[in-house]
Structures are given as structure tokens and as C-alpha cells.
Amino acid sequence: MTIITISNLFNVKIAVSFTTLLIIIQLITIVLFVILLIHYQSVQGQEQLISLHSFYSSSLNAPSLLSGAVIVAYTFIGFDAVSTLAEETHNPTKTIPKVMLSLALFIGIMYVILTYFMQTVFPDVTIFSSPDGVAFEIAQTIGGMLFSSFFLGVVIASCLVGGVSAQMGISRLLFAMGRDRVLPNKVFGYLHPTTGIPVFNIVFTGVFAGLLSLFLTLDQVASIISFGAYIAFTFVNLCVIRHYYFKQRNHSVKGILQYVLLPLLGILFIALMWYNISHIALVLGAVWNSLGFVILLFLTKGFRKPAPSLAMDDSDPSDKVIIPLPLQERIGRNF
């Protein structure tokens, strides 16, 4: 956590360069991993490489599928954090949506390719000593000690990549809340006069995450993060219904299909994944959201005044966020 925090305390360009280097190493490792899987299968003379058995099994059941969906949802979480850097991006209204969609598509394709070859070459993971963490054992089997050691190092580096990106996004979100006085402005809305970095937010998240790591396992943290994502995705679907169906009164057949039925289907799918999430994630998630609700009651004085929100440009409130002048002046230096 110390390395991650130090990386984010410099300007954005340094953190991005560090992350980019680690991501390139990860991509090279994934390519090598797939090549070694194909080579291993050809040497072993197993069944054909192209097969549908990796996508369907007679023993497949709904509970197992939904349990896997919880894990998959966690692996996808993060691409939406790109939006938190909108104020430090050139032409964000066009760039950010394209990047988010492209990233989600790329991650999906990469996961399908990687898991397909793993499942094809090793259809029965029970042969390994740790089926829940089978990737390392597969790396050792197909590439020997040298590749598995390199693979383990890349896995550790990937944790750093995720940590740098997550802390960077959270610190910007806290800054926006501090700037708009949802949180104390002097602390959370502070920017370093030279780098334009919200240093207090970065230090705060570093200390907070470091303390949590003393009490929670990685699996528990993954479940808690998934819970938070499910809450956010649920309200995104609800907001779609409210905005398009009730506010804009889009009551056409196409509108009902797009803005009512599909969001409700999304909520139903999320509810099914909630059913398979860990108990500690449900408890801590409920406590966290209850705390947020209490804070909202305090800020709105029992909902007698509007809730604090991000400052919007009146000329086009749909897609323009007012960039604070100190940060706006430093965008050119950071990028």
C-alpha cells in the first residue's frame, strides 16, 4: 500500500506511466500463457483445441453459474473508474465513454480467450491442489519453475496496477465531493499547489485501505467491492427508468422495452448475484450504506433541502462538469 500511495502522490503522468508499463508486462504474460497452453496440449495429444465443451457441460447448474458470475463481476469492476478522471482528460465527454466501452469489450474478449484455453487444456481443475487458485499451478505445469516464477511476479504487479488505479479514482471522487462541500472542503477539496494532486485524499485512502487489510482477506474484500458495484448498478437501472419513462415520458413500445423492461431485467440479474454473495459482504455493505443514508439525512436536514450534488454548467447540464480552476490550470502539466 505504501508503494501505491507514493506512486499516486506524484503527478498523474508518472502514475499513468508506471501503470502502463505494468499493464504491458501483463499483456505479454497473457500471450505467453496462451501459447504455452496450446503447446502443452499439442505435446500431450489431448482432444481437439477448438471445441464447445468449455462453454457447456451437462453438470452445469444455475447456482454454480451465478456463483461464478459474482466473481466475474468483480473482475470487471474498475473500467467504470475511468470516469473519475474526466476532469484531467482532454475532451472528456467524447473520450471517456469511448474508452469505457472499448475497455469493457477488450476485457471481455481477453477473459473469454484465456479461460477458454485453460478450460480446454485442463477441464478438470480438481487435479490441482488448490482449485480456487489454479492459475499458478497451471503456469507451473505448462511452463516450469521459470515461467511460474515470472507469472507470480506479474500477478503481484497486477495487484499494484489495480491498487494505483483504484486509489487514483477514489481520491478524485473524494476531491469532487470535497470541492462541492459534500465532505469537508479544506481536507477533501485540497489540491497540492504545484502538482494539482489531492494529496490528503491519497494519504487518507492509503491509510484506510492499509488498516482494512489487517482484518479482511482478499476474497472478503472482493465480495464487498462486488456488493458496492451491485448497489451502484441497481440504482443506475432505476435512474434510467425514472429519467426516460417518468421524467421524459417516453411511453412508446420501444421506450418501454429499452427504458423499463431491460433495466428491470438488469436489476433481477443483480438480485440473483446478491443471493450468492458472501455473508460478511452483505453485513458490511448494509452497514456502509446505512451510514451513508444517515449522513444524507444530516446533510439534507431530513430531506427538507436538496441533497448536495456535483456542480453542473447551466448551459448544458447533461454533459458538462465545471472544472475547478486550480485543477484546470494544471491539466497541461500533468498530461
Side-chain angles (χ1 to χ4, degrees):
M1 199 65 223
T2 302
I3 296 174
I4 293 172
T5 301
I6 292 175
S7 299
N8 276 317
L9 284 175
F10 296 99
N11 66 33
V12 178
K13 190 172 183 179
I14 294 176
V16 169
S17 299
F18 174 68
T19 303
T20 301
L21 176 62
L22 294 179
I23 289 176
I24 291 174
I25 296 174
Q26 289 181 64
L27 293 176
I28 293 174
T29 305
I30 290 172
V31 172
L32 290 174
F33 192 81
V34 172
I35 292 174
L36 288 172
L37 281 170
I38 297 173
H39 177 264
Y40 180 85
Q41 188 181 42
S42 65
V43 172
Q44 296 295 316
Q46 297 178 4
E47 63 182 48
Q48 58 182 354
L49 188 63
I50 306 301
S51 171
L52 295 178
H53 293 301
S54 298
F55 297 100
Y56 175 77
S57 171
S58 58
S59 61
L60 183 66
N61 56 69
S64 298
L65 186 64
L66 290 173
S67 298
V70 173
I71 300 174
V72 172
Y74 167 70
T75 62
F76 266 89
I77 293 170
F79 72 90
D80 52 330
V82 174
S83 61
T84 60
L85 296 177
E87 295 186 358
E88 295 170 90
T89 304
H90 296 296
N91 198 10
T93 55
K94 293 183 178 180
T95 303
I96 295 297
K98 290 181 180 179
V99 170
M100 290 177 63
L101 291 174
S102 301
L103 186 58
L105 180 62
F106 173 77
I107 292 174
I109 293 174
M110 182 184 68
Y111 283 163
V112 169
I113 293 174
L114 187 58
T115 54
Y116 169 80
F117 284 107
M118 291 175 65
Q119 180 67 24
T120 301
V121 179
F122 297 100
D124 183 12
V125 295
T126 58
I127 64 175
F128 297 102
S129 60
S130 178
D132 293 332
V134 73
F136 175 74
E137 291 188 61
I138 290 178
Q140 191 171 26
T141 302
I142 63 177
M145 188 59 67
L146 178 62
F147 179 73
S148 62
S149 299
F150 177 72
F151 181 85
L152 181 60
V154 172
V155 170
I156 296 173
S158 67
C159 294
L160 292 177
V161 171
V164 170
S165 302
Q167 189 182 46
M168 184 185 298
I170 293 171
S171 65
R172 269 60 179 182
L173 180 60
L174 290 174
F175 164 75
M177 297 174 71
R179 177 194 61 198
D180 297 317
R181 303 184 187 282
V182 178
L183 295 174
N185 176 265
K186 290 185 178 180
V187 177
F188 295 98
Y190 174 81
L191 293 174
H192 191 277
T194 303
T195 62
I197 298 297
V199 292
F200 291 159
N201 295 342
I202 291 173
V203 173
F204 171 76
T205 54
V207 173
F208 185 76
L211 292 175
L212 280 182
S213 65
L214 298 176
F215 305 100
L216 299 175
T217 66
L218 183 60
D219 290 339
Q220 291 171 339
V221 171
S223 295
I224 294 169
I225 293 174
S226 296
F227 181 92
Y230 298 158
I231 288 287
F233 297 158
T234 299
F235 277 93
V236 166
N237 283 292
L238 290 174
C239 288
V240 168
I241 297 173
R242 179 183 181 277
H243 179 76
Y244 289 101
Y245 186 79
F246 291 103
K247 191 174 181 180
Q248 292 195 352
R249 299 184 180 277
N250 192 330
H251 296 169
S252 64
V253 175
K254 181 179 179 181
I256 293 175
L257 175 63
Q258 288 183 320
Y259 307 128
V260 178
L261 294 181
L262 288 179
L264 287 176
L265 184 62
I267 293 173
L268 176 61
F269 180 72
I270 294 170
L272 291 173
M273 289 195 292
W274 254 330
Y275 181 77
N276 289 274
I277 207 168
S278 70
H279 177 71
I280 188 171
L282 288 174
V283 173
L284 292 180
V287 171
W288 183 261
N289 281 276
S290 299
L291 179 61
F293 184 75
V294 171
I295 294 175
L296 182 62
L297 283 176
F298 173 78
L299 294 175
T300 60
K301 299 186 182 303
F303 296 110
R304 290 192 295 270
K305 57 182 293 189
S309 60
L310 295 178
M312 306 298 287
D313 187 341
D314 294 335
S315 63
D316 188 1
S318 63
D319 63 358
K320 291 184 180 179
V321 180
I322 298 176
I323 301 178
L325 186 58
L327 184 56
Q328 193 178 51
E329 291 175 341
R330 294 175 177 82
I331 287 178
R333 290 207 292 268
N334 287 340
F335 279 95

